[in-house]
Amino acid sequence: MDIIFNGTSRAIPHSITIQELLDQLHLDCRQVVVEHNRSIVARQRLADIVLDHGDTLEVIHFVGGG
Amino acid sequence: MQIKVNEQNYTVDDDLTAGAVRDRIKADADLLIINGFPASAETLLHDGDLLILIRRGETPDAEELDALLAARHTPGVHDAVKQSTVGIAGAGGLGSAIAIALTRTGIGHLIIADFDVVEPSNLNRQQYFIDQIGLPKVYALRDTLTRINPQVKVTSAHLRLSPANIAEVFGHAQVLVEAFDLAEQKVMLIETFAARFPDRPIVTGSGMAGYGPANSIQTQRVAGNLYLCGDGATAAAPGTGLMAPRVGVAAHHQANAVLRLLLGCDPVTEKA
């Protein structure tokens, strides 16, 4: 199944949660903001949301400094 | 002829000197500036001249300051900005510069939250003074902002922001500025505020360390209501410190994005 990941189509396994996808991509959930179907997802919900075919996911990685 | 005196329009007789106009409008002024240059009282005025009358050491009153800003920014822009409330999370290199830019813009109300005190090492990029070392940043910054424009309302929250208090501290903010230092804190703030106020824009900063090209710092829309200013990549690290010029570029990207949002403009494109 495919989702739109950061603007590009990407094949992902069925029944995978957002947290599992982040883990596969070695993305630290403490340093990324995740937008799922146009809503920003709170960190504690990342493991609850199972991705569907056609979903849109934006993962914004943050670096320190300010 | 038509002239402007202290940014206000006046119709006066031809062949008047600056001193004659001063005597009529602000007799105690001891400094006369015509079209940007100091001038003597005997100087003849011409149609279209801009005359500024200053009494040295005098603070303009609220009405005068308001008129000056309205004249500079146009009344429509000034009124919109003046009625706005903006939250700033973090009063370091980004937050202090953003607060100053928004104060000079005439923002109505700033809510600034930070737990930190001014340290000597902050002075390389943060908008504090050497005599403010040791003061809580939110109070030092409020003093500075009040010296720039006493009409701006500043709410200083000297506390550590957490998921438990973010909605309360920034409940009145139409736009939230993320100006933290640590990536984890940036993410925590955005997640918490977006969950509570999904329709309110957030302007965040990521990637402004070092002295790489200023042109690599951009304003982008990275999610529905989330705008990111920075190069997105250059973290603060040993050998790549945070420095005033590039942090200032990112901060002013953020301040300009806030201004555009308050005026109903798209922060990224020319769209109104």
Side-chain angles (χ1 to χ4, degrees):
Chain A
M1 97 180 173
D2 293 327
I3 62 165
I4 307 293
F5 182 92
N6 285 358
T8 344
S9 183
R10 182 181 197 119
I12 58 158
H14 280 280
S15 319
I16 189 173
T17 67
I18 297 176
Q19 183 65 61
E20 286 164 347
L21 181 64
L22 293 180
D23 291 344
Q24 281 189 13
L25 298 171
H26 305 293
L27 289 168
D28 180 351
C29 72
R30 291 169 305 168
Q31 298 190 350
V32 295
V33 166
V34 177
E35 188 195 43
H36 176 235
N37 294 341
R38 304 256 156 248
S39 298
I40 290 174
V41 184
R43 190 187 314 167
Q44 57 273 23
R45 294 195 58 234
L46 293 173
D48 300 335
I49 300 174
V50 179
L51 290 164
D52 260 337
H53 181 74
D55 278 2
T56 305
L57 204 64
E58 291 287 332
V59 177
I60 306 119
H61 180 248
F62 280 80
V63 299
Chain B
M1 62 180 175
Q2 287 281 340
I3 59 168
K4 272 193 175 185
V5 183
N6 290 358
E7 308 278 356
Q8 312 239 46
N9 290 313
Y10 286 88
T11 306
V12 296
D13 297 337
D14 291 349
D15 302 323
L16 273 182
T17 62
V21 173
R22 172 200 58 195
D23 293 344
R24 199 181 304 169
I25 293 172
K26 189 174 172 63
D28 60 358
D30 51 12
L31 187 59
L32 290 72
I33 299 169
I34 301 175
N35 302 328
F37 295 96
S40 72
E42 291 74 42
T43 311
L44 268 182
L45 292 172
H46 301 94
D47 191 51
D49 276 352
L50 173 60
L51 174 65
I52 302 289
L53 301 172
I54 294 172
R55 178 172 166 77
R56 273 178 267 236
E58 181 188 71
T59 307
D61 63 25
E63 217 170 295
E64 226 174 310
L65 266 177
D66 213 51
L68 294 177
L69 282 179
R72 282 280 148 164
H73 298 159
T74 75
V77 168
H78 177 61
D79 289 344
V81 169
K82 201 173 124 184
Q83 286 163 24
S84 304
T85 297
V86 174
I88 302 179
L94 293 174
S96 60
I98 294 164
I100 286 177
L102 293 177
T103 294
R104 292 195 191 283
T105 311
I107 220 88
H109 183 196
L110 287 175
I111 304 165
I112 307 172
D114 193 295
F115 66 86
D116 225 350
V117 298
V118 180
E119 292 177 41
S121 68
N122 297 150
L123 298 180
N124 88 318
R125 69 186 189 285
Q126 305 188 18
Q127 302 301 318
Y128 299 102
F129 299 98
I130 207 148
D131 56 12
Q132 292 177 322
I133 288 170
L135 291 175
K137 288 181 180 177
V138 289
Y139 299 135
L141 187 55
R142 183 173 62 190
D143 287 348
T144 302
L145 301 177
T146 305
R147 286 178 66 194
I148 293 169
N149 184 347
Q151 303 312 312
V152 174
K153 181 181 169 196
V154 182
T155 301
S156 294
H158 184 219
L159 47 76
R160 191 181 283 273
L161 288 165
S162 73
N165 60 18
I166 284 168
E168 190 189 335
V169 172
F170 295 118
H172 294 290
Q174 294 161 256
V175 178
L176 179 67
V177 175
E178 179 285 305
F180 281 153
D181 190 25
L182 300 174
E184 290 84 348
Q185 291 291 302
K186 292 172 186 283
V187 170
M188 178 278 292
L189 177 82
I190 294 165
E191 286 178 351
T192 308
F193 190 78
R196 184 72 169 71
F197 306 110
D199 298 327
R200 299 196 204 167
I202 304 172
V203 179
T204 183
S206 180
M208 75 292 297
Y211 50 88
N215 282 348
S216 59
I217 289 175
Q218 294 189 324
T219 301
Q220 299 172 73
R221 181 167 170 265
V222 289
N225 249 335
L226 179 62
Y227 298 88
L228 186 148
C229 303
D231 66 20
T234 314
T240 312
L242 293 158
M243 299 175 76
R246 217 156 175 268
V247 170
V249 172
H252 289 87
H253 265 260
Q254 287 185 274
N256 194 53
V258 169
L259 177 59
R260 286 185 65 77
L261 285 163
L262 295 177
L263 297 174
C265 304
D266 185 296
V268 183
T269 67
E270 291 285 352
K271 277 185 285 181

